[in-house]
Amino acid sequence: MVIIHSDIGLLDRAYGIVSSCDRCGTCLTVCPLFASDGVERTSARGKNVIVRAIAKGILKSEEEALKALEYCLLCRACVEVCPSQVQTDEAVIYARQYLTEKTGGTRIKYRLIGQWLGNRLSVKTTATLFSLLRRLRMNKLFPPGWLPDEYLAIVAGPAILGNKSDISDLSPRRMEKVAYFEGCGMKLFFPSVAHQTKRILASTSEKLKTPNNFCCGLPLLAHGMMADFIRLSEKNLAIFSDVDAVITDCASCGSTLKHLGRFLPTKEAEAFAQRVMDVSEYLVKVGYIPQSKDMGPLTFHDPCHLSRGQGIKWEPRKLLSAVGDYRDMEGSNICCGGAGSFHLDYPDTAQRLLEKKKLNIEATGAKMVVTSCPGCLIQLSKLSIPVCHICQVI
Ligand code: SF4
Ligand code: SF4
C-alpha cells in the first residue's frame, strides 16, 4: 500500500519539526556547509527559518526555498548537537517533497535517476557495463580524453585494494537466517567489496541469503520522490520477510532501512527496521575474528549515515584495532563531501570539505583510510592515499 502524502501534510510535518527550533545557534558550530560558506541559510537554523517562512506564507518564492533546502548534506551533524533535538534533516526531506510538488515535480535528472534505480534490471545492466569499463581501465584501454577524469573515476571505479583470498572458519557460526542487502552503490561501483562482505558473512552464518533486493530508495527520498521510495521499500519488505537479520555494508542503506518507520509508519516496516544491521555491528555481535594482521597504520572515516544515522562508532574501531595500528582521526565524523549526489551537484563545496578531510587524515600518519559507505569511498578515492571498505581489511 502506498501512502500518499498531501501537500498540507508534508508542510505540516516539516513545520511541526522546525517549530521546536529556538534559534540558539548551537548547530552553526558543526554544520560543514556553514563552516565552508559562512552563510546563515546553509545552516540548520537558517533552513528551519526558511521552512517556517514557507509555512506561514511569508516566503513566496518556492523555487528559491527549494534551492536553499537542496543545499544540505543531510549529515545530521546539527541533529547530534541540537539541545532541542530538532530533526532538521527530516524536516528538509518533507519540505523538499512539498516544494518539489509545488514547483512542477521532481527535476528531470533526479526523476531519471529514480526510475533507473527503481528497476533492478537497469541497475544490473549498468553494473555489467561499469564492470566492463573497469576492466578496460585496468588494462589501460581507454582512449585518452574519452571521459573526463572525475567521471572516469566514478563509472570505472576508484582504485581500492583487493580482497583477501582466504577466510578461515575461526569465527563462531550462527543459526540465524541472515540475508545480505546489497546497495546500488556496491552493485555498481564496488562489486568486489560486496563479494568480500558476502564471504565474511558466509563464514559466520549457517546459511546466507543473497536476494536480488531493490534500491533502499534514499536518492528518491532525498529528491522529492517519496511515493516511489515507499513503493520500493514495500517491495524490499516482502523480499526480506523471512529472515532474522538483514545485513548491509552500505552505511547509507543501513540508515535508510533502519529509519523506514519515519516515512512508512507500519508494524511491518518497524519490525523490518529492527532486523537491519550494519556489517560491523553484526560482526562484533557474533564475535567475528578479523583475519588480517599487520595492516600498518590506518584510520577510519565515519560515514555520516553510520555514526549519526545509526549511532555506530566503536564497532568499526574494534575490528580495525585487531588488524593494524589503528589511529583515530580528528573530525573523523565530519562529512567528506560525498553525500550521495551532493559532490556532483556542488563540486566546489564538496572539494573544500574533502580538502579538510585530507588534512585530518594526513595528521594521523595513517597509510590507509578505511570507511564503510560507497559514497565516501568514491569521494575519498579522489585523494592519493589508499582507501578501503572495512570488509576488505578485516
Ligand atoms: S541547535 Fe537546534 S534549536 Fe538551536 S538553532 Fe540549531 S536547530 Fe535550532
Ligand atoms: S544536515 Fe548537515 S548540512 Fe544539513 S543543515 Fe544539518 S549540519 Fe548542515
Side-chain angles (χ1 to χ4, degrees), residues 20-28 44-45 48 78 81-86 88:
S20 312
C21 171
D22 62 11
R23 303 174 210 191
C24 68
T26 309
C27 54
L28 271 59
R45 184 171 71 179
N48 293 343
C78 50
V81 300
C82 176
S84 305
Q85 300 180 343
V86 179
T88 297

Side-chain angles (χ1 to χ4, degrees), residues 327-393:
R327 301 175 182 193
D328 235 335
M329 184 203 319
E330 195 180 331
S332 62
N333 66 352
I334 297 175
C335 182
C336 61
S341 60
F342 186 94
H343 68 115
L344 298 173
D345 292 338
Y346 309 100
D348 294 345
T349 310
Q351 186 59 32
R352 283 197 292 277
L353 298 185
L354 184 61
E355 289 298 324
K356 285 190 187 173
K357 183 62 66 179
K358 176 173 178 258
L359 295 178
N360 286 336
I361 293 170
E362 285 171 354
T364 66
K367 298 288 176 248
M368 179 196 301
V369 58
V370 182
T371 190
S372 57
C373 190
C376 304
L377 280 171
I378 288 173
Q379 178 74 341
L380 293 172
S381 65
K382 293 171 190 162
L383 301 174
S384 50
I385 187 166
V387 53
C388 276
H389 187 278
I390 191 165
C391 286
Q392 293 179 289
V393 294

Side-chain angles (χ1 to χ4, degrees), residues 31-33 42-44 47 72-78 88-89:
C31 175
L33 299 183
T42 64
S43 71
K47 290 180 172 98
C72 179
L73 300 156
L74 301 177
C75 71
R76 290 177 64 83
C78 50
T88 297
D89 63 323

Side-chain angles (χ1 to χ4, degrees), residues 1-5 118 120 181 212-218 220-221 225-242 256-257 259-261 263-270 272-273 275:
M1 181 196 66
V2 174
I3 294 177
I4 305 295
H5 296 272
R120 286 182 295 189
F181 185 99
N212 185 15
N213 58 268
F214 285 84
C215 172
C216 73
L218 178 59
L220 290 82
L221 184 65
M225 291 168 275
M226 201 174 277
D228 294 321
F229 163 78
I230 289 168
R231 245 177 246 126
L232 287 184
S233 301
E234 288 181 330
K235 288 180 185 173
N236 280 329
L237 286 186
I239 288 173
F240 290 97
S241 61
D242 63 341
T256 306
L257 299 174
H259 295 294
L260 194 53
F263 304 98
L264 179 60
T266 62
K267 270 195 209 145
E268 291 78 15
E270 293 289 356
F272 169 77
R275 290 183 280 127

Side-chain angles (χ1 to χ4, degrees), residues 63-249:
E63 281 84 7
E64 281 302 306
L66 181 57
K67 211 165 135 197
L69 295 179
E70 279 183 337
Y71 192 64
C72 179
L73 300 156
L74 301 177
C75 71
R76 290 177 64 83
C78 50
V79 177
E80 189 175 51
V81 300
C82 176
S84 305
Q85 300 180 343
V86 179
Q87 308 285 316
T88 297
D89 63 323
E90 200 176 326
V92 164
I93 285 173
Y94 281 125
R96 278 184 189 176
Q97 181 73 32
Y98 169 81
L99 292 165
T100 296
E101 290 172 13
K102 282 283 177 192
T103 53
T106 303
R107 276 192 269 144
I108 185 78
K109 76 171 170 179
Y110 295 133
R111 214 179 314 146
L112 290 175
I113 291 171
Q115 282 168 3
W116 167 58
L117 291 176
N119 183 317
R120 286 182 295 189
L121 183 61
S122 59
V123 172
K124 195 173 172 197
T125 308
T126 314
T128 306
L129 174 67
F130 283 7
S131 170
L132 176 68
L133 290 172
R134 265 190 297 275
R135 237 172 276 156
L136 290 173
R137 188 189 198 204
M138 239 185 316
N139 293 308
K140 302 194 183 344
L141 291 174
F142 268 115
W146 185 73
L147 262 182
D149 275 354
E150 62 270 31
Y151 292 108
L152 188 60
I154 291 169
V155 301
I160 53 171
L161 298 185
N163 299 323
K164 294 188 304 301
S165 55
D166 281 324
I167 295 176
S168 69
D169 254 349
L170 295 173
S171 306
R173 279 180 182 266
R174 308 272 293 196
M175 297 302 289
E176 295 156 326
K177 274 193 256 167
V178 174
Y180 173 59
F181 185 99
E182 187 169 7
C184 302
M186 289 301 176
K187 279 183 196 155
L188 292 166
F189 307 115
F190 305 103
S192 62
V193 174
H195 177 69
Q196 185 70 359
T197 304
K198 284 184 257 186
R199 293 181 64 195
I200 292 174
L201 291 176
S203 79
T204 60
S205 53
E206 284 297 321
K207 185 158 172 39
L208 176 69
K209 289 186 81 173
T210 54
N212 185 15
N213 58 268
F214 285 84
C215 172
C216 73
L218 178 59
L220 290 82
L221 184 65
H223 294 295
M225 291 168 275
M226 201 174 277
D228 294 321
F229 163 78
I230 289 168
R231 245 177 246 126
L232 287 184
S233 301
E234 288 181 330
K235 288 180 185 173
N236 280 329
L237 286 186
I239 288 173
F240 290 97
S241 61
D242 63 341
V243 295
D244 303 312
V246 181
I247 316 297
T248 181
D249 51 4

